[in-house]
Amino acid sequence: MYPEMRHEQVVYQNPFLAMRIWQIDTETTTTEDLLLKAEQNWRQKNYYGWHYHEEVEFLLVLEGEITAYCREEQIVLGEGDIALFGSSEPHTTMQTKPGSTRQIVFQIDLRKYWDVSTLNSMQHFSEVIRPLSSLNYIYKENKEVRERTAELIGEIYQEMNDGSLGYELAVSSRIKHILLLLLRNDTRQQLNYNDNRLIGRLQPAVDYVESHLDGKLSVAEISGRLNMSYTHFIKTFKKAVGMSFTDFVVLKRIKKAEQLLLTSDVSIAEVAESVGISNLGHFYEMFRRMNDCSPKQFRDRLREPTG
């Protein structure tokens, strides 16, 4: 995708939560020459040494000063400041003052948090129009949102480290709280505000997919059920939901497969059949693409004791 950059594979602490959070403490000093070179490269759109990953990233600075670079801007972050990078959005960071720095890095695959109950809200984070870094102005300008988000990130970090009973619920609720803060405080309307009537128009298709994941799902058949042409349906679906119909179906199939792997002892072949994927090799390929592990590895990780 970006040949001059490194594609970072994120290994989740809990595959079902699809996230990783950790703290980085450093004592290095960046020379002024390196800082000038980094800014020059950014201005000249030279992204060598940058990286990207499919996960959205929040960066919270606890101590020191860091400069974060994405393609559209550079952000100087001090204690308590936050930077946000979108899915597959190239970025890099650099310490900009002598002394120690402490930061929490929080990476999450937001696609795993899409379900029928949150579809209207989650579509705004699909990055169809612009990357989520366009929301960094909120953290710059709104102290209350910045401080509350910092608290929530800290709580997620603590919950993941403690692994206490119900920590998955605690983490999931805080993630959604962070997204809600962004959604309700986006005064510049940088998020993809689609017409909710489109979702209502497509709701029968979404419901049909949910109830027929074990069988063949044809675009032609579903568009016919909605009295829409094939072309109009796929364009409308992408505009309203933020992803193609095919990608949405794959996402729902794999999410159902994850639930079956977690809650039952049926074989992986039976799981694949239950989500409408008769070709076991194809199922493994799609599952690995979304989870960066095999179905067996996913099941084993989830059943490992926490703490």
Side-chain angles (χ1 to χ4, degrees), residues 69-219:
Y69 297 89
C70 52
R71 287 187 297 181
E72 300 302 322
E73 63 177 335
Q74 58 174 325
I75 312 165
V76 178
L77 303 167
E79 182 179 340
D81 288 337
I82 299 170
L84 170 61
F85 308 105
S87 172
S88 293
E89 182 175 10
H91 60 279
T92 190
T93 60
M94 184 171 289
Q95 182 178 343
T96 48
K97 281 188 177 180
S100 60
T101 63
R102 292 189 301 124
Q103 56 187 304
I104 291 179
V105 181
F106 176 34
Q107 298 168 330
I108 176 172
D109 184 351
L110 290 182
R111 296 173 301 178
K112 296 300 181 70
Y113 291 81
W114 286 58
D115 57 49
V116 174
S117 67
T118 60
L119 191 59
N120 277 344
S121 297
M122 289 301 293
Q123 60 163 326
H124 297 294
F125 297 92
S126 61
E127 302 186 86
V128 172
I129 295 178
R130 55 183 67 86
L132 290 182
S133 62
S134 64
L135 299 176
N136 278 313
Y137 81 91
I138 299 175
Y139 294 133
K140 289 180 186 176
E141 299 175 2
N142 193 320
K143 180 182 177 183
E144 184 178 348
V145 172
R146 183 174 66 249
E147 290 180 346
R148 182 62 184 128
T149 301
E151 289 176 2
L152 291 164
I153 291 173
E155 290 168 7
I156 291 170
Y157 178 70
Q158 192 66 49
E159 288 285 352
M160 291 300 294
N161 282 332
D162 292 346
S164 301
L165 181 65
Y167 80 95
E168 300 95 341
L169 285 172
V171 168
S172 180
S173 66
R174 283 161 175 78
I175 289 169
K176 291 178 179 178
H177 193 166
I178 289 172
L179 298 179
L180 181 61
L181 285 170
L182 289 170
L183 190 59
R184 293 211 170 152
N185 291 278
D186 180 21
T187 55
R188 299 183 190 176
Q189 297 197 345
Q190 293 296 295
L191 292 171
N192 183 21
Y193 285 93
N194 293 315
D195 190 340
N196 286 339
R197 289 175 298 178
L198 290 180
I199 288 291
R201 177 81 171 89
L202 293 169
Q203 193 62 52
V206 172
D207 293 342
Y208 187 84
V209 168
E210 288 280 348
S211 58
H212 291 81
L213 287 173
D214 58 345
K216 183 177 179 181
L217 290 166
S218 161
V219 176

Side-chain angles (χ1 to χ4, degrees), residues 247-259:
D247 287 345
F248 179 76
V249 170
V250 170
L251 174 66
K252 301 308 291 185
R253 290 193 198 277
I254 299 303
K255 285 192 70 172
K256 182 178 178 182
E258 292 169 358
Q259 292 171 347

